[in-house]
mmCIF file of all heavy atoms in Angstrom:
data_model
loop_
_atom_site.group_PDB
_atom_site.id
_atom_site.type_symbol
_atom_site.label_atom_id
_atom_site.label_comp_id
_atom_site.label_asym_id
_atom_site.label_seq_id
_atom_site.Cartn_x
_atom_site.Cartn_y
_atom_site.Cartn_z
ATOM 1 N N ALA M 1783 85.728 106.234 54.378
ATOM 2 C CA ALA M 1783 86.927 107.047 54.579
ATOM 3 C C ALA M 1783 87.688 106.595 55.829
ATOM 4 O O ALA M 1783 88.927 106.509 55.818
ATOM 5 C CB ALA M 1783 86.542 108.526 54.694
ATOM 6 N N ARG M 1784 86.961 106.279 56.913
ATOM 7 C CA ARG M 1784 87.619 105.813 58.140
ATOM 8 C C ARG M 1784 88.320 104.483 57.910
ATOM 9 O O ARG M 1784 89.448 104.272 58.364
ATOM 10 C CB ARG M 1784 86.593 105.666 59.271
ATOM 11 C CG ARG M 1784 85.999 106.969 59.769
ATOM 12 C CD ARG M 1784 85.291 106.770 61.112
ATOM 13 N NE ARG M 1784 84.233 105.770 61.063
ATOM 14 C CZ ARG M 1784 82.972 106.011 60.738
ATOM 15 N NH1 ARG M 1784 82.599 107.249 60.387
ATOM 16 N NH2 ARG M 1784 82.058 105.047 60.755
ATOM 17 N N TRP M 1785 87.659 103.581 57.228
ATOM 18 C CA TRP M 1785 88.249 102.274 56.974
ATOM 19 C C TRP M 1785 89.483 102.397 56.082
ATOM 20 O O TRP M 1785 90.500 101.738 56.332
ATOM 21 C CB TRP M 1785 87.220 101.356 56.316
ATOM 22 C CG TRP M 1785 86.145 100.848 57.228
ATOM 23 C CD1 TRP M 1785 85.770 101.349 58.442
ATOM 24 C CD2 TRP M 1785 85.299 99.721 56.989
ATOM 25 N NE1 TRP M 1785 84.740 100.627 58.972
ATOM 26 C CE2 TRP M 1785 84.418 99.610 58.104
ATOM 27 C CE3 TRP M 1785 85.166 98.813 55.943
ATOM 28 C CZ2 TRP M 1785 83.452 98.608 58.189
ATOM 29 C CZ3 TRP M 1785 84.191 97.813 56.023
ATOM 30 C CH2 TRP M 1785 83.356 97.715 57.138
ATOM 31 N N ARG M 1786 89.415 103.214 55.061
ATOM 32 C CA ARG M 1786 90.564 103.364 54.160
ATOM 33 C C ARG M 1786 91.741 104.013 54.875
ATOM 34 O O ARG M 1786 92.903 103.647 54.648
ATOM 35 C CB ARG M 1786 90.147 104.153 52.921
ATOM 36 C CG ARG M 1786 89.359 103.300 51.931
ATOM 37 C CD ARG M 1786 88.960 104.028 50.674
ATOM 38 N NE ARG M 1786 88.445 103.068 49.676
ATOM 39 C CZ ARG M 1786 87.658 103.391 48.672
ATOM 40 N NH1 ARG M 1786 87.265 104.657 48.504
ATOM 41 N NH2 ARG M 1786 87.255 102.468 47.820
ATOM 42 N N ALA M 1787 91.455 104.946 55.751
ATOM 43 C CA ALA M 1787 92.540 105.546 56.528
ATOM 44 C C ALA M 1787 93.167 104.507 57.455
ATOM 45 O O ALA M 1787 94.396 104.469 57.644
ATOM 46 C CB ALA M 1787 92.005 106.729 57.336
ATOM 47 N N ALA M 1788 92.341 103.644 58.033
ATOM 48 C CA ALA M 1788 92.845 102.636 58.961
ATOM 49 C C ALA M 1788 93.742 101.620 58.264
ATOM 50 O O ALA M 1788 94.777 101.214 58.813
ATOM 51 C CB ALA M 1788 91.682 101.940 59.651
ATOM 52 N N VAL M 1789 93.378 101.180 57.064
ATOM 53 C CA VAL M 1789 94.205 100.172 56.389
ATOM 54 C C VAL M 1789 95.438 100.795 55.741
ATOM 55 O O VAL M 1789 96.323 100.067 55.283
ATOM 56 C CB VAL M 1789 93.393 99.374 55.348
ATOM 57 C CG1 VAL M 1789 92.209 98.680 55.991
ATOM 58 C CG2 VAL M 1789 92.944 100.241 54.186
ATOM 59 N N ALA M 1790 95.503 102.113 55.704
ATOM 60 C CA ALA M 1790 96.695 102.800 55.186
ATOM 61 C C ALA M 1790 97.748 103.013 56.270
ATOM 62 O O ALA M 1790 98.855 103.476 55.978
ATOM 63 C CB ALA M 1790 96.303 104.141 54.572
ATOM 64 N N ARG M 1791 97.438 102.684 57.531
ATOM 65 C CA ARG M 1791 98.394 102.857 58.627
ATOM 66 C C ARG M 1791 99.522 101.822 58.533
ATOM 67 O O ARG M 1791 99.400 100.796 57.855
ATOM 68 C CB ARG M 1791 97.676 102.708 59.975
ATOM 69 C CG ARG M 1791 96.613 103.754 60.229
ATOM 70 C CD ARG M 1791 95.924 103.564 61.569
ATOM 71 N NE ARG M 1791 95.239 102.278 61.704
ATOM 72 C CZ ARG M 1791 94.355 102.005 62.657
ATOM 73 N NH1 ARG M 1791 94.040 102.942 63.565
ATOM 74 N NH2 ARG M 1791 93.782 100.825 62.719
ATOM 75 N N ASP M 1792 100.583 102.082 59.260
ATOM 76 C CA ASP M 1792 101.713 101.148 59.293
ATOM 77 C C ASP M 1792 101.429 99.940 60.179
ATOM 78 O O ASP M 1792 102.046 98.887 60.012
ATOM 79 C CB ASP M 1792 102.971 101.869 59.804
ATOM 80 C CG ASP M 1792 103.468 102.922 58.831
ATOM 81 O OD1 ASP M 1792 103.254 102.760 57.611
ATOM 82 O OD2 ASP M 1792 104.060 103.924 59.291
ATOM 83 N N ALA M 1793 100.524 100.088 61.134
ATOM 84 C CA ALA M 1793 100.182 98.997 62.039
ATOM 85 C C ALA M 1793 98.780 99.251 62.592
ATOM 86 O O ALA M 1793 98.221 100.341 62.442
ATOM 87 C CB ALA M 1793 101.191 98.889 63.182
ATOM 88 N N GLY M 1794 98.231 98.228 63.231
ATOM 89 C CA GLY M 1794 96.889 98.364 63.804
ATOM 90 C C GLY M 1794 96.648 97.296 64.835
ATOM 91 O O GLY M 1794 97.531 96.461 65.109
ATOM 92 N N PRO M 1795 95.465 97.265 65.438
ATOM 93 C CA PRO M 1795 95.132 96.192 66.370
ATOM 94 C C PRO M 1795 95.181 94.840 65.676
ATOM 95 O O PRO M 1795 95.224 94.749 64.439
ATOM 96 C CB PRO M 1795 93.709 96.547 66.810
ATOM 97 C CG PRO M 1795 93.524 97.977 66.464
ATOM 98 C CD PRO M 1795 94.380 98.236 65.262
ATOM 99 N N SER M 1796 95.127 93.785 66.442
ATOM 100 C CA SER M 1796 95.285 92.428 65.915
ATOM 101 C C SER M 1796 94.394 92.150 64.707
ATOM 102 O O SER M 1796 93.168 92.231 64.788
ATOM 103 C CB SER M 1796 94.968 91.418 67.018
ATOM 104 O OG SER M 1796 94.887 90.110 66.482
ATOM 105 N N GLY M 1797 95.028 91.824 63.590
ATOM 106 C CA GLY M 1797 94.273 91.447 62.403
ATOM 107 C C GLY M 1797 93.631 90.087 62.558
ATOM 108 O O GLY M 1797 92.526 89.851 62.058
ATOM 109 N N ALA M 1798 94.302 89.166 63.280
ATOM 110 C CA ALA M 1798 93.740 87.831 63.485
ATOM 111 C C ALA M 1798 92.462 87.907 64.302
ATOM 112 O O ALA M 1798 91.486 87.187 64.025
ATOM 113 C CB ALA M 1798 94.769 86.938 64.187
ATOM 114 N N ALA M 1799 92.435 88.762 65.315
ATOM 115 C CA ALA M 1799 91.232 88.905 66.132
ATOM 116 C C ALA M 1799 90.083 89.485 65.316
ATOM 117 O O ALA M 1799 88.921 89.075 65.464
ATOM 118 C CB ALA M 1799 91.528 89.792 67.349
ATOM 119 N N LEU M 1800 90.397 90.448 64.450
ATOM 120 C CA LEU M 1800 89.360 91.021 63.586
ATOM 121 C C LEU M 1800 88.819 89.967 62.633
ATOM 122 O O LEU M 1800 87.596 89.850 62.447
ATOM 123 C CB LEU M 1800 89.924 92.206 62.798
ATOM 124 C CG LEU M 1800 88.967 92.834 61.785
ATOM 125 C CD1 LEU M 1800 87.736 93.429 62.459
ATOM 126 C CD2 LEU M 1800 89.688 93.912 60.955
ATOM 127 N N LEU M 1801 89.702 89.183 62.047
ATOM 128 C CA LEU M 1801 89.277 88.127 61.134
ATOM 129 C C LEU M 1801 88.346 87.146 61.848
ATOM 130 O O LEU M 1801 87.290 86.765 61.315
ATOM 131 C CB LEU M 1801 90.505 87.393 60.585
ATOM 132 C CG LEU M 1801 90.246 86.158 59.723
ATOM 133 C CD1 LEU M 1801 89.421 86.497 58.491
ATOM 134 C CD2 LEU M 1801 91.572 85.507 59.315
ATOM 135 N N GLU M 1802 88.697 86.759 63.055
ATOM 136 C CA GLU M 1802 87.867 85.821 63.811
ATOM 137 C C GLU M 1802 86.485 86.400 64.091
ATOM 138 O O GLU M 1802 85.470 85.711 63.951
ATOM 139 C CB GLU M 1802 88.554 85.463 65.128
ATOM 140 C CG GLU M 1802 87.772 84.474 65.983
ATOM 141 C CD GLU M 1802 88.475 84.139 67.283
ATOM 142 O OE1 GLU M 1802 89.534 84.746 67.561
ATOM 143 O OE2 GLU M 1802 87.960 83.275 68.020
ATOM 144 N N ARG M 1803 86.446 87.675 64.470
ATOM 145 C CA ARG M 1803 85.171 88.298 64.808
ATOM 146 C C ARG M 1803 84.276 88.456 63.581
ATOM 147 O O ARG M 1803 83.066 88.177 63.636
ATOM 148 C CB ARG M 1803 85.426 89.668 65.455
ATOM 149 C CG ARG M 1803 84.170 90.432 65.827
ATOM 150 C CD ARG M 1803 83.313 89.672 66.812
ATOM 151 N NE ARG M 1803 82.142 90.458 67.222
ATOM 152 C CZ ARG M 1803 81.079 89.945 67.810
ATOM 153 N NH1 ARG M 1803 81.020 88.653 68.074
ATOM 154 N NH2 ARG M 1803 80.050 90.713 68.156
ATOM 155 N N VAL M 1804 84.850 88.892 62.469
ATOM 156 C CA VAL M 1804 84.037 89.086 61.265
ATOM 157 C C VAL M 1804 83.532 87.742 60.748
ATOM 158 O O VAL M 1804 82.364 87.612 60.355
ATOM 159 C CB VAL M 1804 84.835 89.848 60.188
ATOM 160 C CG1 VAL M 1804 84.083 89.858 58.861
ATOM 161 C CG2 VAL M 1804 85.099 91.281 60.649
ATOM 162 N N ARG M 1805 84.397 86.734 60.773
ATOM 163 C CA ARG M 1805 83.935 85.397 60.362
ATOM 164 C C ARG M 1805 82.784 84.913 61.252
ATOM 165 O O ARG M 1805 81.812 84.337 60.771
ATOM 166 C CB ARG M 1805 85.100 84.409 60.419
ATOM 167 C CG ARG M 1805 85.954 84.379 59.159
ATOM 168 C CD ARG M 1805 87.104 83.422 59.302
ATOM 169 N NE ARG M 1805 87.732 83.164 58.001
ATOM 170 C CZ ARG M 1805 88.976 82.710 57.865
ATOM 171 N NH1 ARG M 1805 89.723 82.459 58.944
ATOM 172 N NH2 ARG M 1805 89.469 82.498 56.658
ATOM 173 N N GLU M 1806 82.917 85.169 62.546
ATOM 174 C CA GLU M 1806 81.856 84.764 63.472
ATOM 175 C C GLU M 1806 80.535 85.430 63.117
ATOM 176 O O GLU M 1806 79.476 84.789 63.128
ATOM 177 C CB GLU M 1806 82.266 85.143 64.893
ATOM 178 C CG GLU M 1806 81.207 84.892 65.947
ATOM 179 C CD GLU M 1806 81.552 85.547 67.269
ATOM 180 O OE1 GLU M 1806 82.747 85.647 67.596
ATOM 181 O OE2 GLU M 1806 80.617 85.989 67.967
ATOM 182 N N ARG M 1807 80.566 86.710 62.804
ATOM 183 C CA ARG M 1807 79.337 87.442 62.475
ATOM 184 C C ARG M 1807 78.752 86.960 61.145
ATOM 185 O O ARG M 1807 77.537 86.822 61.010
ATOM 186 C CB ARG M 1807 79.620 88.947 62.407
ATOM 187 C CG ARG M 1807 79.888 89.624 63.737
ATOM 188 C CD ARG M 1807 78.665 89.588 64.649
ATOM 189 N NE ARG M 1807 78.522 88.331 65.377
ATOM 190 C CZ ARG M 1807 77.397 87.657 65.552
ATOM 191 N NH1 ARG M 1807 76.256 88.100 65.032
ATOM 192 N NH2 ARG M 1807 77.358 86.534 66.200
ATOM 193 N N MET M 1808 79.570 86.709 60.169
ATOM 194 C CA MET M 1808 79.057 86.287 58.870
ATOM 195 C C MET M 1808 78.535 84.852 58.925
ATOM 196 O O MET M 1808 77.635 84.489 58.174
ATOM 197 C CB MET M 1808 80.132 86.430 57.799
ATOM 198 C CG MET M 1808 80.596 87.869 57.580
ATOM 199 S SD MET M 1808 79.235 89.051 57.401
ATOM 200 C CE MET M 1808 78.519 88.493 55.869
ATOM 201 N N THR M 1809 79.069 84.044 59.821
ATOM 202 C CA THR M 1809 78.565 82.681 59.992
ATOM 203 C C THR M 1809 77.164 82.691 60.591
ATOM 204 O O THR M 1809 76.357 81.805 60.322
ATOM 205 C CB THR M 1809 79.524 81.878 60.898
ATOM 206 O OG1 THR M 1809 80.803 81.800 60.260
ATOM 207 C CG2 THR M 1809 79.011 80.473 61.132
ATOM 208 N N ASP M 1810 76.860 83.712 61.387
ATOM 209 C CA ASP M 1810 75.587 83.810 62.080
ATOM 210 C C ASP M 1810 74.564 84.530 61.200
ATOM 211 O O ASP M 1810 74.314 85.723 61.354
ATOM 212 C CB ASP M 1810 75.777 84.551 63.408
ATOM 213 C CG ASP M 1810 74.516 84.578 64.252
ATOM 214 O OD1 ASP M 1810 73.553 83.853 63.913
ATOM 215 O OD2 ASP M 1810 74.477 85.324 65.238
ATOM 216 N N ASP M 1811 73.987 83.788 60.261
ATOM 217 C CA ASP M 1811 72.947 84.311 59.370
ATOM 218 C C ASP M 1811 73.394 85.584 58.656
ATOM 219 O O ASP M 1811 72.635 86.542 58.522
ATOM 220 C CB ASP M 1811 71.657 84.564 60.155
ATOM 221 C CG ASP M 1811 70.428 84.690 59.252
ATOM 222 O OD1 ASP M 1811 70.478 84.214 58.103
ATOM 223 O OD2 ASP M 1811 69.432 85.282 59.706
ATOM 224 N N LEU M 1812 74.666 85.582 58.217
ATOM 225 C CA LEU M 1812 75.203 86.671 57.391
ATOM 226 C C LEU M 1812 74.970 88.036 58.051
ATOM 227 O O LEU M 1812 74.414 88.961 57.458
ATOM 228 C CB LEU M 1812 74.564 86.641 55.996
ATOM 229 C CG LEU M 1812 74.643 85.306 55.246
ATOM 230 C CD1 LEU M 1812 73.861 85.372 53.945
ATOM 231 C CD2 LEU M 1812 76.083 84.877 54.996
ATOM 232 N N ASP M 1813 75.430 88.158 59.294
ATOM 233 C CA ASP M 1813 75.214 89.375 60.076
ATOM 234 C C ASP M 1813 76.184 90.467 59.633
ATOM 235 O O ASP M 1813 77.164 90.774 60.326
ATOM 236 C CB ASP M 1813 75.370 89.069 61.565
ATOM 237 C CG ASP M 1813 75.200 90.301 62.448
ATOM 238 O OD1 ASP M 1813 74.643 91.311 61.961
ATOM 239 O OD2 ASP M 1813 75.636 90.252 63.610
ATOM 240 N N ALA M 1814 75.909 91.073 58.500
ATOM 241 C CA ALA M 1814 76.775 92.135 57.991
ATOM 242 C C ALA M 1814 76.841 93.341 58.927
ATOM 243 O O ALA M 1814 77.925 93.898 59.134
ATOM 244 C CB ALA M 1814 76.323 92.554 56.594
ATOM 245 N N PRO M 1815 75.726 93.815 59.516
ATOM 246 C CA PRO M 1815 75.850 94.944 60.453
ATOM 247 C C PRO M 1815 76.798 94.646 61.614
ATOM 248 O O PRO M 1815 77.558 95.518 62.041
ATOM 249 C CB PRO M 1815 74.413 95.158 60.926
ATOM 250 C CG PRO M 1815 73.569 94.658 59.805
ATOM 251 C CD PRO M 1815 74.315 93.475 59.273
ATOM 252 N N GLY M 1816 76.766 93.407 62.123
ATOM 253 C CA GLY M 1816 77.689 93.032 63.182
ATOM 254 C C GLY M 1816 79.128 93.036 62.710
ATOM 255 O O GLY M 1816 80.038 93.432 63.448
ATOM 256 N N ALA M 1817 79.347 92.585 61.475
ATOM 257 C CA ALA M 1817 80.695 92.604 60.913
ATOM 258 C C ALA M 1817 81.185 94.036 60.721
ATOM 259 O O ALA M 1817 82.358 94.342 60.987
ATOM 260 C CB ALA M 1817 80.704 91.854 59.584
ATOM 261 N N LEU M 1818 80.296 94.924 60.282
ATOM 262 C CA LEU M 1818 80.680 96.325 60.125
ATOM 263 C C LEU M 1818 81.041 96.949 61.471
ATOM 264 O O LEU M 1818 82.003 97.721 61.574
ATOM 265 C CB LEU M 1818 79.548 97.116 59.472
ATOM 266 C CG LEU M 1818 79.600 97.287 57.947
ATOM 267 C CD1 LEU M 1818 79.627 95.946 57.230
ATOM 268 C CD2 LEU M 1818 78.408 98.118 57.451
ATOM 269 N N ALA M 1819 80.282 96.614 62.501
ATOM 270 C CA ALA M 1819 80.579 97.143 63.836
ATOM 271 C C ALA M 1819 81.949 96.669 64.316
ATOM 272 O O ALA M 1819 82.701 97.443 64.927
ATOM 273 C CB ALA M 1819 79.490 96.719 64.821
ATOM 274 N N ALA M 1820 82.295 95.413 64.048
ATOM 275 C CA ALA M 1820 83.605 94.892 64.439
ATOM 276 C C ALA M 1820 84.711 95.626 63.699
ATOM 277 O O ALA M 1820 85.752 95.968 64.281
ATOM 278 C CB ALA M 1820 83.673 93.394 64.149
ATOM 279 N N PHE M 1821 84.502 95.898 62.426
ATOM 280 C CA PHE M 1821 85.510 96.606 61.638
ATOM 281 C C PHE M 1821 85.619 98.060 62.103
ATOM 282 O O PHE M 1821 86.720 98.626 62.175
ATOM 283 C CB PHE M 1821 85.161 96.540 60.148
ATOM 284 C CG PHE M 1821 86.363 96.581 59.254
ATOM 285 C CD1 PHE M 1821 86.789 95.448 58.579
ATOM 286 C CD2 PHE M 1821 87.082 97.754 59.078
ATOM 287 C CE1 PHE M 1821 87.896 95.477 57.748
ATOM 288 C CE2 PHE M 1821 88.198 97.798 58.248
ATOM 289 C CZ PHE M 1821 88.608 96.651 57.582
ATOM 290 N N ASP M 1822 84.490 98.670 62.446
ATOM 291 C CA ASP M 1822 84.518 100.037 62.973
ATOM 292 C C ASP M 1822 85.374 100.116 64.229
ATOM 293 O O ASP M 1822 86.181 101.047 64.405
ATOM 294 C CB ASP M 1822 83.101 100.503 63.305
ATOM 295 C CG ASP M 1822 82.280 100.873 62.088
ATOM 296 O OD1 ASP M 1822 82.862 101.126 61.014
ATOM 297 O OD2 ASP M 1822 81.035 100.902 62.218
ATOM 298 N N ALA M 1823 85.168 99.159 65.135
ATOM 299 C CA ALA M 1823 85.927 99.156 66.392
ATOM 300 C C ALA M 1823 87.411 98.973 66.129
ATOM 301 O O ALA M 1823 88.254 99.628 66.766
ATOM 302 C CB ALA M 1823 85.402 98.053 67.317
ATOM 303 N N TRP M 1824 87.738 98.101 65.201
ATOM 304 C CA TRP M 1824 89.146 97.895 64.848
ATOM 305 C C TRP M 1824 89.745 99.168 64.268
ATOM 306 O O TRP M 1824 90.866 99.571 64.648
ATOM 307 C CB TRP M 1824 89.259 96.743 63.843
ATOM 308 C CG TRP M 1824 90.667 96.526 63.376
ATOM 309 C CD1 TRP M 1824 91.615 95.736 63.961
ATOM 310 C CD2 TRP M 1824 91.304 97.132 62.232
ATOM 311 N NE1 TRP M 1824 92.788 95.813 63.266
ATOM 312 C CE2 TRP M 1824 92.621 96.658 62.198
ATOM 313 C CE3 TRP M 1824 90.871 98.018 61.245
ATOM 314 C CZ2 TRP M 1824 93.530 97.052 61.199
ATOM 315 C CZ3 TRP M 1824 91.760 98.409 60.263
ATOM 316 C CH2 TRP M 1824 93.072 97.939 60.234
ATOM 317 N N ALA M 1825 89.035 99.815 63.361
ATOM 318 C CA ALA M 1825 89.553 101.015 62.708
ATOM 319 C C ALA M 1825 89.749 102.168 63.687
ATOM 320 O O ALA M 1825 90.620 103.026 63.481
ATOM 321 C CB ALA M 1825 88.610 101.447 61.587
ATOM 322 N N ALA M 1826 88.962 102.193 64.764
ATOM 323 C CA ALA M 1826 89.035 103.294 65.727
ATOM 324 C C ALA M 1826 90.111 103.073 66.784
ATOM 325 O O ALA M 1826 90.435 104.012 67.530
ATOM 326 C CB ALA M 1826 87.679 103.467 66.408
ATOM 327 N N ALA M 1827 90.657 101.879 66.862
ATOM 328 C CA ALA M 1827 91.619 101.548 67.918
ATOM 329 C C ALA M 1827 93.054 101.655 67.400
ATOM 330 O O ALA M 1827 93.307 101.683 66.191
ATOM 331 C CB ALA M 1827 91.347 100.139 68.439
ATOM 332 N N GLU M 1828 93.976 101.728 68.330
ATOM 333 C CA GLU M 1828 95.397 101.724 68.014
ATOM 334 C C GLU M 1828 95.962 100.343 68.278
ATOM 335 O O GLU M 1828 95.434 99.581 69.106
ATOM 336 C CB GLU M 1828 96.136 102.758 68.860
ATOM 337 C CG GLU M 1828 95.660 104.195 68.665
ATOM 338 C CD GLU M 1828 95.958 104.735 67.284
ATOM 339 O OE1 GLU M 1828 96.955 104.265 66.676
ATOM 340 O OE2 GLU M 1828 95.215 105.594 66.794
ATOM 341 N N GLY M 1829 97.058 100.009 67.600
ATOM 342 C CA GLY M 1829 97.684 98.723 67.818
ATOM 343 C C GLY M 1829 99.043 98.669 67.167
ATOM 344 O O GLY M 1829 99.429 99.575 66.410
ATOM 345 N N ASP M 1830 99.774 97.575 67.438
ATOM 346 C CA ASP M 1830 101.142 97.465 66.940
ATOM 347 C C ASP M 1830 101.359 96.233 66.068
ATOM 348 O O ASP M 1830 102.479 95.749 65.928
ATOM 349 C CB ASP M 1830 102.122 97.466 68.111
ATOM 350 C CG ASP M 1830 101.848 96.352 69.116
ATOM 351 O OD1 ASP M 1830 100.931 95.537 68.860
ATOM 352 O OD2 ASP M 1830 102.532 96.290 70.150
ATOM 353 N N ASP M 1831 100.290 95.722 65.475
ATOM 354 C CA ASP M 1831 100.410 94.570 64.571
ATOM 355 C C ASP M 1831 100.694 95.089 63.166
ATOM 356 O O ASP M 1831 99.806 95.653 62.515
ATOM 357 C CB ASP M 1831 99.103 93.771 64.591
ATOM 358 C CG ASP M 1831 99.125 92.567 63.655
ATOM 359 O OD1 ASP M 1831 100.110 92.401 62.907
ATOM 360 O OD2 ASP M 1831 98.144 91.794 63.656
#
Side-chain angles (χ1 to χ4, degrees):
R1784 292 195 302 272
W1785 286 18
R1786 283 182 169 158
V1789 302
R1791 297 180 299 194
D1792 293 331
S1796 170
L1800 176 63
L1801 174 60
E1802 181 180 5
R1803 179 60 177 163
V1804 171
R1805 274 178 167 159
E1806 175 192 327
R1807 289 295 83 223
M1808 297 312 294
T1809 298
D1810 185 11
D1811 198 20
L1812 307 174
D1813 178 17
L1818 266 58
F1821 209 107
D1822 284 341
W1824 177 88
E1828 300 293 332
D1830 57 4
D1831 179 354

